[in-house]
Amino acid sequence: MWEFHTNVNKMSRLMDNSFALSKFIIDGRISGAVVFTLFVVLCVTPQALSDSVNVVYLNRNWSLRNQNGSIYIKDVIIPSGVYSSMYGENVLDSWNDVNLRWIAYDNWTYTNEFSVNTTELKNIRFKNLTLYGIDTVAEVRLNHYLLGRTDNMFVRYSFEISKYLKEENLLEIEILSPVHAALQKANELMAQGIEVPPNCPNPRYHGECHMNMLRKMQASFSWDWGLAAPSMGIWKTVALEYYDVALIREVDVAMTKNDTHWNMDVRVFIDSAGHHDFYAELTFYAVELLKNPLIINDYTKVPISYKAPVIMFQVAFPINKVTLWWPNGHGEQKLYPLHFSLKAWWDASGTSLRNRVTSKKSIRVGFRTIELVEDAVSEGTGNSFFFRVNGKEIFMKGSNYIPSHILPEYSFDALRIGHLLNSAKEAHHNMIRVWGGGIYESDYFYDLADASGILIWQDMMFACAMYPTTDSFLASVRKEVVQNAQRLSHHASVAIFATNNENEVAIAQNWYGTMEERYKTEYRELYLATVVHELKVVGHNDRPNPLVSSPSNGKESAKDNYISENPQDPNYGDVHFYDVFKDGWNPSIYPRPRFASEYGFQSIPSLTAWRRSMYDNDSLSDLIEHRQHHPLGMLAITTLVRQHFPLPLPEDDNYLEGLAYFSQLTQAMATKVETEFYRSLRNTEHRTMGALYWQLNDVWVAPSWSAIDFYGNFKLLHYWSKEFLAPIAIVALPDSRTNSINVSLICDDFKVETEGLYVSMHIYKWSQLYPKDTKTWPATLVPNGVHYDKVIPIDGIMNGEFTKQNSFVEFVLHRYNQIMAHTFYFPTTFNNVQAIKDPELDLEVRNTYCRTAANVKLNSFSLALTTKYPAIFVYIELLLESRNDIKNYKLSKNGFMLTSGSCVVHLEFESSKCVKLKRSDLNVLTVNQFLKV
């Protein structure tokens, strides 16, 4: 028998002992707003705890065993999964996505033995066992009595357990193999002559079949960027809830605004285990907005129906007393704490103080309006598609977000989530699309998005598949949609819901052989009659209506009953664009859409990242090939790389180093060109108003479209995005039709100073530093818009001593002597440039600085670089594979052109100690070294 011991999670002690933290740890983590909650509980409402709903968290002292009992693991802490309980994150190493797959083929049982004082609980009416997240198909037993079954990892399950509860109790949650459970459901439908494709993923995915049979993270069965790790576990908190009448589950707050006031529409969603109407009084605290609490006593005489237990009320605040919430880059993110205290009773005569009748909930809200504007355009055909926030048209720029970990029990990691969202904020993201093949993210994720000003385009969890429409499946989906919409809708960051990812276009383009009318009928039944219908629970006149799919033609889709012949019509809605066989550096290949919600290019993580995830006897080239899940294999990457760079041959010693480096360069440049192209179309007849590239993050070390690798280190794409998504940017895009360069000046700021603005065009030769020729001209910026500055014939630049092979161009936007933005134009590929020299680049580590902050050491260094000739796309990498004192690091810039004699790059990272770095700890690459110089 195998026996494993897991470490005790310090957080679980808080989770076991304090009901006051209940709202903030239902996802297994404590929210940033917990300080306010403690203030409210301890200072604002100092009533005796004896009348409060009591919540006890069963997050410790679990054990886990497989079906035949040959494996037994004790001291398991919730949140937990079978993979993580046995091997931690080792499934991400080497070939363990395959070698550990046996775990997903077994059935596993979690067991918890707990004690209760039945005498103290005797007079409490309801004792609930609430499971906030079971992954996925499971049977729940208490003291050998079947409480019920679960089939949806996105649903909260509650069981009233009064008649089963004893002094000493045995709780068992038996989780079935998701692989076998999915196959069984598929076979049951097949027996009825019903096929729900796709049955299996592409063989390159090394995945499992029938992911769409289960209401589970779809990516856990594999994806083109991720491994198959068919997870099982208790991925969220387990709680015992003791109360007499009812408790608050969620609160929704919607905002409307008139000329004088903000009106807050509040809906308090309540749970009651009893089939009995009840009376209630709600006390509402808004400590920054109201001098005194507001008491809602409408239901002290007229009872609330147990069939639809919700309290609704409105409250108005003068406009001059409210600070607006703005997306990142457009203003501050003011959040107001709200606290709700519900007192409920059965009898109109009232209740005793000794009853558990008071339930509390705390949230934070931001005052903002948001509209999705789809009006007929004045030029050309079609409708606009853009977001208006607080009355301002805002270009949405950012990326798509996949789960932060393939094992959902790790998806609450505050450090990982914080790093990703803070990195997005620093790179000027104002919107992230939470993709539909993952999970509804944790409370902490949305709290941080609120605080960061990052709007969320929230997909519901359906992606790239048809789905069953059996009664049981649809019933489960209804619960999923209602529960998650109620939990998320109050967040200032949540901009819009979309019911699925790419399922309309899959039908329209027959991705899975679904031309039969049946599939269209089932599509509409699932997304229109079920998901959209259930989202009405948080519907509001001042909230955008849900999108039925992405991509789609937006509201125009209604004319086609929501399955359009071409859901990618650039004149309507949003588009997804990928074309790996065209030159991604050429802006002419891209559509001119209203909104680009998904697009991107693959790259390979650094060799340092690969070595951190390898075993000693692994072949790096074989591992890269194994983890390349693109159906075209490495061709999707190497085709674009070889168009522009001198990639070594596979048999060369530096092939893999060159492949990783060049792939990141081609990804960064192609994404830069595409994003800049979309941004430049804003004030044209195309009215493009959104660019969300695919994808921000990764779930393991693999070829993928990510800008940040799994360890949190930035690829060149993320470094570059800080410039091509900047509020003020200069764009110089070649136009092959006119053989010219279109120079545009982009400004996202609502107000801008136009004094002292000018553009410089520097012409360099590859053979020497500093520009050989410079031209300047005055410029201006259009607030919250694009100024189309110049159309410059390329022949007017590349003439005389300057040729496309020996020269390149830099465009710089200045305000007086300050550089505001810059960009380069390269007239030919780097395979064809001439007169490149060895830059004789030198790097020296200087100015080490270390300070203590939040129990870590903040290490910073100045890296001084000197060069004698232009150094092309200088790439600096901190070698981490042999050290465990640094997880990830950040450079002030990377992948940059060094065209002057020297520069300084700042390096920062956190560690448990002050670290000394040597030159040998850093690797530096340039394109020069791969060229024949």
Side-chain angles (χ1 to χ4, degrees):
M1 177 180 293
W2 297 1
E3 186 170 291
F4 295 78
H5 300 267
T6 60
N7 293 326
V8 175
N9 187 331
K10 295 180 181 179
M11 187 64 71
S12 67
R13 297 171 187 166
L14 287 172
M15 297 165 72
D16 287 342
N17 295 329
S18 178
F19 83 92
L21 305 183
S22 61
K23 185 268 181 191
F24 302 95
I25 60 177
I26 63 171
D27 284 326
R29 297 286 171 186
I30 293 184
S31 163
V34 70
V35 174
F36 165 71
T37 304
L38 290 174
F39 168 78
V40 169
V41 172
L42 299 179
C43 302
V44 177
T45 56
Q47 64 190 128
L49 297 183
S50 61
D51 75 336
S52 297
V53 171
N54 193 11
V55 181
V56 177
Y57 293 94
L58 300 180
N59 291 323
R60 299 175 62 189
N61 302 320
W62 289 81
S63 62
L64 176 64
R65 69 177 186 277
N66 67 337
Q67 183 165 327
N68 66 15
S70 60
I71 300 174
Y72 177 78
I73 309 168
K74 61 183 181 180
D75 299 327
V76 174
I77 308 297
I78 305 300
S80 166
V82 179
Y83 274 100
S84 58
S85 293
M86 295 186 67
Y87 293 105
E89 294 186 301
N90 287 352
V91 68
L92 306 178
D93 295 337
S94 187
W95 294 66
N96 286 342
D97 61 311
V98 174
N99 295 338
L100 298 182
R101 191 72 56 81
W102 60 269
I103 294 173
Y105 302 152
D106 207 343
N107 300 328
W108 298 83
T109 299
Y110 281 86
T111 302
N112 186 280
E113 298 181 16
F114 64 94
S115 302
V116 299
N117 189 324
T118 54
T119 301
E120 291 182 0
L121 298 179
K122 183 177 180 180
N123 294 322
I124 296 176
R125 192 182 304 267
F126 298 124
K127 297 95 175 174
N128 270 8
L129 172 68
T130 297
L131 312 171
Y132 284 92
I134 302 297
D135 182 13
T136 294
V137 180
E139 185 172 286
V140 183
R141 299 184 294 268
L142 180 63
N143 299 325
H144 306 295
Y145 288 97
L146 176 64
L147 297 180
R149 295 180 173 88
T150 72
D151 63 3
N152 189 325
M153 73 175 286
F154 309 121
V155 164
R156 177 187 66 248
Y157 292 89
S158 284
F159 305 102
E160 215 293 309
I161 58 173
S162 295
K163 62 182 179 180
Y164 307 118
L165 203 60
K166 305 177 184 177
E167 290 277 346
E168 302 296 329
N169 298 275
L170 175 67
L171 175 60
E172 297 172 291
I173 301 177
E174 181 181 358
I175 302 178
L176 303 182
S177 160
V179 176
H180 295 318
L183 177 61
Q184 179 180 342
K185 289 179 180 292
N187 287 340
E188 290 171 355
L189 291 176
M190 289 284 193
Q192 303 172 47
I194 301 173
E195 183 179 6
V196 186
N199 293 321
C200 295
N202 187 289
R204 288 199 65 94
Y205 290 16
H206 312 294
E208 298 293 343
C209 300
H210 308 298
M211 67 173 190
N212 50 348
M213 294 293 104
L214 302 182
R215 292 310 301 139
K216 172 179 178 55
M217 182 202 292
Q218 299 291 272
S220 69
F221 273 37
S222 76
W223 218 262
D224 54 8
W225 40 257
L227 69 160
S231 53
M232 297 157 284
I234 307 174
W235 74 292
K236 292 187 180 183
T237 291
V238 176
L240 295 173
E241 299 164 334
Y242 303 127
Y243 65 99
D244 279 306
V245 182
L247 52 80
I248 300 174
R249 277 294 177 209
E250 304 294 350
V251 176
D252 181 30
V253 177
M255 308 289 188
T256 58
K257 183 183 178 184
N258 58 33
D259 292 339
T260 61
H261 285 77
W262 279 96
N263 296 304
M264 185 183 289
D265 290 325
V266 182
R267 285 175 278 196
V268 179
F269 298 104
I270 302 168
D271 263 9
S272 177
H275 296 286
H276 193 292
D277 295 349
F278 57 92
Y279 299 90
E281 180 178 86
L282 182 73
T283 304
F284 169 63
Y285 302 88
V287 293
E288 295 184 37
L289 297 167
L290 296 173
K291 291 182 179 179
N292 299 305
L294 178 66
I295 298 176
I296 312 299
N297 55 16
D298 302 29
Y299 300 100
T300 57
K301 302 299 182 184
V302 179
I304 295 174
S305 170
Y306 74 89
K307 295 181 180 179
V310 59
I311 293 177
M312 296 183 289
F313 66 95
Q314 293 183 331
V315 59
F317 305 100
I319 286 178
N320 60 8
K321 290 189 176 181
V322 170
T323 299
L324 291 180
W325 183 96
W326 286 97
N328 182 34
H330 292 285
E332 66 176 297
Q333 290 79 47
K334 173 63 179 175
L335 296 169
Y336 290 89
L338 307 179
H339 180 68
F340 302 83
S341 180
L342 175 73
K343 190 172 184 178
W345 59 94
W346 292 112
D347 195 298
S349 61
T351 184
S352 165
L353 282 176
R354 287 177 292 182
N355 294 129
R356 304 286 185 174
V357 295
T358 302
S359 176
K360 299 177 175 68
K361 185 96 176 168
S362 295
I363 62 173
R364 294 190 300 168
V365 300
F367 285 82
R368 58 101 177 107
T369 60
I370 188 163
E371 308 161 75
L372 176 59
V373 181
E374 296 185 80
D375 294 336
V377 297
S378 57
E379 299 180 38
T381 60
N383 297 331
S384 63
F385 189 96
F386 66 87
F387 290 91
R388 183 186 288 141
V389 182
N390 297 329
K392 296 284 190 179
E393 298 182 8
I394 293 181
F395 189 101
M396 294 301 160
K397 53 188 181 179
S399 60
N400 286 254
Y401 186 93
I402 64 173
S404 61
H405 207 289
I406 197 65
L407 301 178
E409 61 270 22
Y410 285 136
S411 65
F412 309 98
D413 188 319
L415 291 178
R416 182 180 284 117
I417 293 171
H419 177 67
L420 291 173
L421 291 190
N422 288 330
S423 297
K425 179 179 180 178
E426 290 174 1
H428 311 293
H429 286 40
N430 59 23
M431 178 175 273
I432 281 177
R433 178 170 172 255
V434 175
W435 169 74
I439 60 173
Y440 305 96
E441 294 291 332
S442 66
D443 289 347
Y444 178 75
F445 176 93
Y446 298 96
D447 286 342
L448 186 55
D450 290 345
S452 302
I454 298 176
L455 289 166
I456 303 298
W457 172 316
Q458 178 66 55
D459 282 359
M460 309 310 281
M461 292 302 118
F462 300 88
C464 300
M466 304 298 102
Y467 289 89
T469 54
T470 61
D471 290 345
S472 60
F473 190 90
L474 293 179
S476 183
V477 167
R478 290 187 190 100
K479 290 182 181 178
E480 169 190 332
V481 172
V482 168
Q483 288 184 9
N484 285 284
Q486 289 177 346
R487 178 171 70 92
L488 301 181
S489 57
H490 75 271
H491 285 279
S493 58
V494 175
I496 196 167
F497 291 103
T499 75
N500 71 76
N501 170 77
E502 297 187 345
N503 291 339
E504 180 189 354
V505 71
I507 287 181
Q509 297 180 1
N510 196 30
W511 290 4
Y512 311 120
T514 53
M515 295 299 291
E516 296 176 36
E517 191 64 28
R518 164 175 86 82
Y519 292 109
K520 295 182 179 180
T521 300
E522 291 177 352
Y523 175 93
R524 295 179 178 115
E525 184 176 8
L526 174 57
Y527 299 116
L528 293 169
T530 304
V531 179
V532 169
H533 182 269
E534 297 304 324
L535 282 172
K536 291 178 180 178
V537 72
V538 295
H540 194 272
N541 289 337
D542 283 354
R543 283 179 174 158
N545 291 326
L547 296 170
V548 178
S549 189
S550 177
S552 79
N553 293 338
K555 73 175 187 179
E556 188 73 7
S557 300
K559 296 179 180 178
D560 302 314
N561 201 7
Y562 296 97
I563 301 179
S564 301
E565 183 176 342
N566 177 22
Q568 297 258 48
D569 189 330
N571 295 316
Y572 303 93
D574 66 312
V575 304
H576 297 184
F577 181 80
Y578 300 91
D579 193 334
V580 300
F581 292 115
K582 292 181 179 177
D583 181 4
W585 293 31
N586 182 356
S588 68
I589 74 168
Y590 299 115
R592 290 161 171 79
R594 305 299 186 204
F595 197 109
S597 58
E598 199 182 303
Y599 60 92
F601 299 85
Q602 277 197 331
S603 71
I604 295 176
S606 68
L607 296 193
T608 292
W610 285 100
R611 293 180 184 118
R612 291 172 73 180
S613 64
M614 291 172 57
Y615 291 164
D616 290 342
N617 59 348
D618 286 339
S619 162
L620 178 54
S621 59
D622 289 347
L623 190 61
I624 292 175
E625 179 67 20
H626 170 69
R627 295 189 177 194
Q628 172 54 282
H629 289 183
H630 197 293
L632 295 174
M634 294 304 297
L635 188 63
I637 291 177
T638 57
T639 298
L640 185 57
V641 167
R642 290 194 185 279
Q643 286 183 68
H644 292 276
F645 292 110
L647 180 66
L649 296 174
E651 58 267 26
D652 293 336
D653 291 340
N654 62 345
Y655 172 72
L656 293 179
E657 182 177 56
L659 181 62
Y661 172 47
F662 288 143
S663 72
Q664 290 194 31
L665 279 172
T666 54
Q667 177 196 37
M669 182 64 82
T671 309
K672 167 184 160 70
V673 168
E674 187 169 2
T675 304
E676 290 179 338
F677 179 66
Y678 294 145
R679 293 187 75 186
S680 72
L681 294 175
R682 173 175 183 168
N683 290 106
T684 68
E685 64 184 61
H686 305 291
R687 291 286 283 135
T688 304
M689 285 296 288
L692 309 178
Y693 64 77
W694 183 270
Q695 64 208 64
L696 180 67
N697 55 310
D698 249 333
V699 296
W700 67 338
V701 177
S704 82
W705 293 256
S706 75
I708 302 176
D709 74 20
F710 174 73
Y711 296 111
N713 290 306
F714 299 164
K715 293 182 180 177
L716 293 184
L717 169 56
H718 193 76
Y719 282 110
W720 285 28
S721 70
K722 294 179 182 180
E723 293 191 5
F724 68 69
L725 292 179
I728 294 177
I730 183 170
V731 173
L733 296 175
D735 186 336
S736 57
R737 296 170 300 175
T738 61
N739 193 35
S740 60
I741 300 172
N742 297 324
V743 179
S744 304
L745 304 178
I746 296 172
C747 178
D748 291 335
D749 295 338
F750 297 147
K751 296 180 181 180
V752 63
E753 175 59 56
T754 58
E755 293 287 331
L757 293 174
Y758 66 96
V759 171
S760 296
M761 182 179 71
H762 302 305
I763 306 176
Y764 291 84
K765 281 193 171 182
W766 291 114
S767 58
Q768 61 190 79
L769 296 173
Y770 306 106
K772 285 284 292 179
D773 189 28
T774 295
K775 294 181 174 62
T776 64
W777 58 87
T780 191
L781 290 170
V782 176
N784 203 27
V786 180
H787 172 65
Y788 299 100
D789 190 59
K790 276 190 181 297
V791 177
I792 304 175
I794 293 175
D795 291 342
I797 305 172
M798 299 290 113
N799 58 46
E801 65 176 306
F802 303 115
T803 70
K804 292 183 178 180
Q805 288 72 38
N806 71 9
S807 304
F808 63 100
V809 184
E810 182 185 26
F811 294 90
V812 185
L813 174 64
H814 304 262
R815 174 177 286 125
Y816 299 112
N817 293 323
Q818 177 188 3
I819 295 177
M820 301 183 69
H822 76 118
T823 191
F824 286 92
Y825 165 67
F826 303 105
T828 189
T829 71
F830 289 92
N831 292 317
N832 296 320
V833 295
Q834 298 173 354
I836 296 273
K837 295 187 176 183
D838 179 355
E840 300 182 40
L841 188 69
D842 185 58
L843 183 149
E844 184 180 347
V845 180
R846 295 180 182 172
N847 300 333
T848 301
Y849 179 70
C850 182
R851 65 184 177 90
T852 302
N855 300 319
V856 297
K857 301 292 185 182
L858 300 180
N859 289 261
S860 62
F861 303 84
S862 294
L863 308 180
L865 291 99
T866 57
T867 187
K868 294 184 178 179
Y869 301 98
I872 308 172
F873 299 134
V874 178
Y875 174 76
I876 303 171
E877 179 185 9
L878 181 57
L879 303 175
L880 299 177
E881 58 264 39
S882 62
R883 57 194 315 156
N884 55 18
D885 53 346
I886 308 169
K887 183 177 181 181
N888 51 59
Y889 61 93
K890 182 166 60 176
L891 295 160
S892 57
K893 61 180 179 178
N894 209 358
F896 55 92
M897 297 290 296
L898 183 52
T899 55
S900 61
S902 63
C903 75
V904 175
V905 175
H906 299 287
L907 166 66
E908 297 178 350
F909 56 80
E910 294 181 357
S911 180
S912 60
K913 61 184 180 181
C914 291
V915 176
K916 293 184 178 180
L917 284 186
K918 304 184 295 294
R919 172 63 181 84
S920 58
D921 292 316
L922 297 158
N923 184 37
V924 180
L925 297 176
T926 66
V927 175
N928 306 60
Q929 69 197 66
F930 291 89
L931 295 167
K932 296 179 180 179
V933 295

